[in-house]
Amino acid sequence: MVALGGGHGLYASLSALRRVTTDVTAVVTVADDGGSSGRLRRELGVLPPGDLRMALAALCGDDEWGSTWSEVVQHRFRSEGELHGHAVGNLLIVALWELLGDSVAALDWVGQLLGAHGRVLPMSSVPLDIVAEVEGADPARPDEVVTVRGQVACASTRGRVRSISLIPDRPPVPGQVVRAVHEADWVVFGPGSWFTSVLPHLLVPDLARALVDTRARRVVALNLSPQRGETDGFAAHTYLEVLADHAPELRVDVVLADRKGVEDTVRLERVAAELGARLVLADLAVDDGSPRHDPDRFAVAFDQIFAD
């Protein structure tokens, strides 16, 4: 399995996938420019490590070793000084990058330390900037389209994101990423921040070509609810329409959605069919009403899809 994304969405899918397969590779976006990751990126010129760290934590096992190391790498310092807000795992990853001079090898070493049930790879060898065309960022000018640059700015915009692009527009892709996509049985897109975590993979030419050409079957896992700022007002089918706009050559085999999060099943099924996909509805959310995936329910849904 190859899972694409970043942040909390990829964490959710990996937490489920490691329950149903022993061979999962995460391909993680590297465009974050906020928080600890943004500080390390600006100071040291490295890939932003935060989403890579979260993916590694998600692949930790449920035994004492895995749960302990997952907590360690996710731990953030609290102080009045320069370490405030930095995650331990971010510093560990960057230290290994500096020592080894190889971003992929360093992540493999961290994965071995954590006992990760899978592999984590960056989708590009260089840091990326996301550029969004945003409509209505200024409420006084609802029809005006402006350009917004940076992952944090795109995710928190007050307007509606119409499209995104990347800087640089043809970034290098690690060979291990392309090879993993071509060798996969299944590729999983989402859930996650649609414009800043999921779609960027389809805008990197070498990776996008691999995702189109691979023999693997493709699953799109939809979000449980719209994300404030980035996807305000999105219905379930809107995610697929935006995906098709950004990657018109991509065909999809399965669309997975939470049963309670779909208001218009007929329309979602029709849009999924236009991408070549069948729609699978399942109960995926936790019981407390928050928009979070239950890893066990998510795993059952994946297992049933993969078995068909």
Side-chain angles (χ1 to χ4, degrees), residues 140-160:
R141 300 172 179 170
D143 297 325
E144 183 181 54
V145 176
V146 298
T147 300
V148 174
R149 179 168 176 169
Q151 185 268 336
V152 172
C154 295
S156 59
T157 179
R158 297 173 64 185
R160 181 174 181 181

Side-chain angles (χ1 to χ4, degrees), residues 249-264:
E249 292 185 75
L250 185 74
R251 307 304 293 167
V252 178
D253 296 275
V254 178
V255 172
L256 173 61
D258 180 63
R259 196 186 317 275
K260 297 176 183 176
V262 178
E263 295 181 358
D264 190 342

Side-chain angles (χ1 to χ4, degrees), residues 3-284:
L4 309 173
H8 294 284
L10 183 60
Y11 186 96
S13 61
L14 293 176
S15 297
L17 287 169
R18 69 172 173 82
R19 288 166 162 80
V20 299
T21 178
T22 57
D23 190 358
V24 57
T25 298
V27 179
V28 184
T29 186
V30 286
D32 193 3
D33 59 355
S36 171
S37 287
R39 290 160 60 193
L40 291 167
R41 174 180 174 173
R42 288 187 294 273
E43 183 174 344
L44 301 173
V46 296
L47 296 172
D51 285 354
L52 297 160
R53 180 202 80 242
M54 286 190 67
L56 285 162
L59 290 173
C60 286
D62 296 320
D63 57 355
E64 184 179 9
W65 183 273
S67 60
T68 298
W69 275 109
S70 178
E71 290 183 13
V72 169
V73 297
Q74 295 282 62
H75 176 74
R76 290 185 184 274
F77 294 103
R78 294 289 178 263
S79 74
E80 299 298 324
E82 292 298 319
L83 272 178
H84 179 74
H86 275 305
V88 172
N90 289 357
L91 302 179
L92 177 62
I93 290 169
V94 172
L96 279 163
W97 282 341
E98 291 194 345
L99 287 170
L100 300 179
D102 184 326
S103 60
V104 171
L107 292 167
D108 286 342
W109 273 97
V110 179
Q112 291 179 52
L113 174 64
L114 273 55
H117 296 204
R119 193 180 194 190
V120 173
L121 300 172
M123 75 173 188
S124 170
S125 305
V126 299
L128 304 176
D129 276 338
I130 297 173
V131 178
E133 298 299 312
V134 179
E135 182 180 47
D138 182 352
R141 300 172 179 170
D143 297 325
E144 183 181 54
V145 176
V146 298
T147 300
V148 174
R149 179 168 176 169
Q151 185 268 336
V152 172
C154 295
S156 59
T157 179
R158 297 173 64 185
R160 181 174 181 181
V161 179
R162 309 298 299 185
S163 65
I164 62 166
S165 57
L166 299 178
I167 298 176
D169 60 354
R170 301 189 67 87
V173 178
Q176 297 91 333
V177 170
V178 174
R179 185 160 57 250
V181 171
H182 280 299
E183 293 177 354
D185 295 308
W186 288 87
V187 174
V188 179
F189 299 85
S193 300
W194 214 245
F195 288 101
T196 55
S197 291
V198 179
L199 293 182
H201 295 77
L202 296 165
L203 300 180
V204 176
D206 290 344
L207 177 54
R209 177 46 51 192
L211 291 168
V212 168
D213 292 345
T214 180
R215 289 183 170 184
R217 286 180 283 178
R218 305 166 188 87
V219 182
V220 175
L222 298 182
N223 291 348
L224 298 176
S225 64
Q227 181 178 346
R228 185 176 181 182
E230 190 168 321
T231 54
D232 274 336
F234 268 38
H237 61 84
T238 314
Y239 293 94
L240 298 183
E241 291 169 346
V242 170
L243 181 71
D245 287 342
H246 284 78
E249 292 185 75
L250 185 74
R251 307 304 293 167
V252 178
D253 296 275
V254 178
V255 172
L256 173 61
D258 180 63
R259 196 186 317 275
K260 297 176 183 176
V262 178
E263 295 181 358
D264 190 342
T265 303
V266 173
R267 185 166 183 182
L268 177 59
E269 197 164 25
R270 183 173 70 248
V271 175
E274 291 172 357
L275 294 174
R278 64 185 175 93
L279 175 63
V280 174
L281 298 177
D283 294 319
L284 302 175

